[in-house]
Amino acid sequence: MSFRGFQKSVVRAPQQLKAKFNIGEHTKDAVFIDSERRFEELEAETKRLHDESRKYFDAINGMLSHQIEFSKAMTEIYKPISGRVSDPDSLVVHGNPEGIRACEEYELVVKDLQDTIAPELEMIESRIIRPSDELLDVLKNIRKTAVKRDHKQLDYDRHRATLKKLQDKKEKSAKDEKATWKAENELEVSTQEFNYFNDLLKDELPKLFALERQFIQPLFQSFYYMQLNIFYTLHEKMQQCDIGYFNLNLDIMEAFEQKRGDIQEQAEKMTIVRFKTSGRQRPPKYGPKPALEAGNAPAGLLTQGPSTSSPSSPTTPGPAASFKHGQQAPTEAAESPPPPYSAPALGTPSAALAAAVAGKPKPPPPKPKPSRLAGAPAVETVTALYDYSAQAEGDLSFRAGDVIEIVTRTPNENEWWQGKINGRQGQFPGNYVTLG
């Protein structure tokens, strides 16, 4: 907006507010009001036609593109994973060559279909979307003319109100006469400009509406036949699609169940698929630690001291040592208490150290801890004499015999005190309790 246009907007602002709240006199043309309403409907429907045509164009293209990407994804799933570190049978080649071949054939069919309907989609672009864009550009220019007409109406109403105010004065000065002459000239100019744009729109908008019917009718007919061609081409191509991997003689669900087999049951038996299943008891987060093999097992626990068995004697694995990783030990082994502590022989270094420590005198015991922190005031409590139910928000309810911790209180027992009980805090009457 230019600076001059900004100045005009500021001058017209009071008149716009009066028109918005229907204050004062305003020019109204019933013929133009009806034409403007029909023009707004034409704007909205043309915009909708353009948007929906574009969506249809993008939807057909997107559908075929997604079908091709779907086929590529299925091909990658069917390919073997051998040679990966995570594959336990890395040397055995697994795969589904029939499925891979079916995906490749399907991808070729969809690409051929995409090339076949490309001219039809191009016709939608050139005969529907592009003409809608051109019509929208025309309507934008007409909308600018309508906005110009509204501005001229505001100027006309503003100058007319100014002239009427000056003419209604009983005693006019020379300055008023000059202002009246200026207002008459401005009103004459604004009247001519307003009538020009108002008559122009009233005369040519009906012609636009007649041309609209001539524009929309072939547009709709073209779009209808283009859709028929696209649907017929899709149907014909997919009917000719004969991939031996799929059994088209069976029902869809029946063929799906036959292909799936018992894969779902096998997958649901795996433990890892049940970790996030609601309504079932989750497996323990950590199982029992696997026991060490007999060859790697230590001679004994660290707290048992040196073993009395001979190093050359064979070691018989216990019950816990015979279980592999992931298996649970028997209940008797899991519930058996640890072996008792046995004192080492005196000849060992640990025994000499224990004897040296035992020869030293015992240190004196520490001083007893104070009952409460030094300097901290004692908590004051009161005992309830009667039952009290809260009468308002912030009151503390209690029963006779309850011990209440005082938060704040006054020397006068006939006033309200603050206290808390069982985590609740509030005010209560002081004459309902007794100290101590």
Side-chain angles (χ1 to χ4, degrees), residues 39-344:
F39 179 71
E40 290 176 354
E41 293 176 356
L42 175 61
E43 279 183 312
E45 294 304 324
T46 305
K47 183 69 168 58
R48 184 179 178 185
L49 173 65
H50 171 270
D51 294 344
E52 297 302 326
S53 302
R54 172 60 67 181
K55 289 178 182 178
Y56 179 80
F57 177 84
D58 294 338
I60 297 297
N61 275 328
M63 178 186 68
L64 298 176
S65 299
H66 292 321
Q67 285 178 273
I68 294 176
E69 295 301 323
F70 172 82
S71 176
K72 292 180 179 179
M74 292 300 299
T75 303
E76 291 299 322
I77 293 176
Y78 282 147
K79 284 182 179 179
I81 328 174
S82 60
R84 309 284 178 88
V85 178
S86 60
D87 191 355
D89 299 326
S90 59
L91 299 179
V92 182
V93 178
H94 295 285
N96 188 351
E98 295 83 5
I100 296 175
R101 192 180 308 111
C103 291
E104 292 174 350
E105 293 179 10
Y106 178 76
E107 184 178 347
L108 293 176
V109 170
V110 177
K111 285 183 177 180
D112 180 61
L113 181 60
Q114 197 174 29
D115 296 337
T116 304
I117 66 174
E120 298 293 337
L121 294 177
E122 179 61 29
M123 291 179 64
I124 293 180
E125 174 72 28
S126 59
R127 296 188 182 183
I128 307 294
I129 301 177
R130 201 173 302 159
S132 301
D133 285 334
E134 296 173 357
L135 180 57
L136 285 175
D137 293 337
V138 173
L139 295 180
K140 287 179 182 178
N141 294 330
I142 299 175
R143 171 55 63 187
K144 291 180 180 179
T145 305
V147 172
K148 190 80 172 178
R149 182 258 179 202
D150 293 339
H151 290 168
K152 297 304 178 183
Q153 178 184 342
L154 290 174
D155 294 339
Y156 171 71
D157 292 339
R158 177 169 57 87
H159 292 313
R160 187 179 60 171
T162 302
L163 179 61
K164 184 178 180 181
K165 183 178 180 181
L166 292 172
Q167 289 176 347
D168 290 343
K169 279 190 176 182
K170 295 181 180 180
E171 298 179 359
K172 298 180 181 179
S173 60
K175 186 177 180 180
D176 293 336
E177 292 292 342
K178 184 178 179 180
T180 303
W181 177 78
K182 182 180 179 181
E184 288 175 351
N185 290 336
E186 291 177 344
L187 178 61
E188 183 179 357
V189 174
S190 62
T191 302
Q192 293 176 359
E193 293 178 347
F194 169 68
N195 288 335
Y196 170 76
F197 287 103
N198 190 58
D199 294 339
L200 177 65
L201 291 172
K202 287 196 301 182
D203 180 53
E204 295 193 352
L205 279 179
K207 298 178 182 179
L208 176 68
F209 300 146
L211 293 174
E212 172 206 355
R213 290 191 293 270
Q214 300 178 12
F215 174 80
I216 292 296
Q217 183 175 358
L219 201 68
F220 177 71
Q221 185 175 1
S222 299
F223 188 61
Y224 175 74
Y225 282 115
M226 290 175 198
Q227 282 184 316
L228 284 182
N229 290 337
I230 291 175
F231 292 151
Y232 176 76
T233 304
L234 289 172
H235 177 74
E236 184 181 14
K237 287 292 183 180
M238 296 309 294
Q239 283 291 106
Q240 296 175 0
C241 178
D242 186 13
I243 301 177
Y245 186 71
F246 307 107
N247 187 0
L248 302 180
N249 297 324
L250 298 177
D251 181 68
I252 296 178
M253 292 301 299
E254 184 179 355
F256 172 75
E257 296 290 345
Q258 181 178 348
K259 283 285 184 182
R260 186 181 65 177
D262 62 341
I263 297 300
Q264 182 177 359
E265 290 75 9
Q266 294 182 28
E268 290 179 350
K269 289 179 180 179
M270 300 174 65
T271 306
I272 57 175
V273 303
R274 294 198 301 268
F275 267 89
K276 294 185 178 180
T277 304
S278 59
R280 295 185 181 181
Q281 184 178 3
R282 296 186 177 184
K285 187 173 182 181
Y286 301 105
K289 294 184 178 180
L292 297 175
E293 297 296 335
N296 300 330
L301 295 176
L302 297 178
T303 56
Q304 285 183 330
S307 175
T308 57
S309 60
S310 174
S312 60
S313 61
T315 304
T316 304
S322 61
F323 288 90
K324 302 297 181 182
H325 177 70
Q327 296 181 348
Q328 295 183 356
T331 309
E332 293 78 11
E335 296 180 355
S336 60
Y341 175 79
S342 57

Side-chain angles (χ1 to χ4, degrees), residues 334-407:
E335 296 180 355
S336 60
Y341 175 79
S342 57
L346 293 178
T348 61
S350 58
L353 180 61
V357 171
K360 291 185 178 181
K362 295 182 179 181
K367 296 181 179 180
K369 295 182 179 180
S371 58
R372 61 173 61 93
L373 294 177
V379 177
E380 187 178 57
T381 59
V382 294
T383 304
L385 298 175
Y386 316 100
D387 294 344
Y388 176 74
S389 299
Q391 304 296 325
E393 186 177 1
D395 288 0
L396 182 65
S397 301
F398 51 81
R399 293 185 174 278
D402 288 348
V403 177
I404 306 170
E405 181 181 343
I406 295 296
V407 178

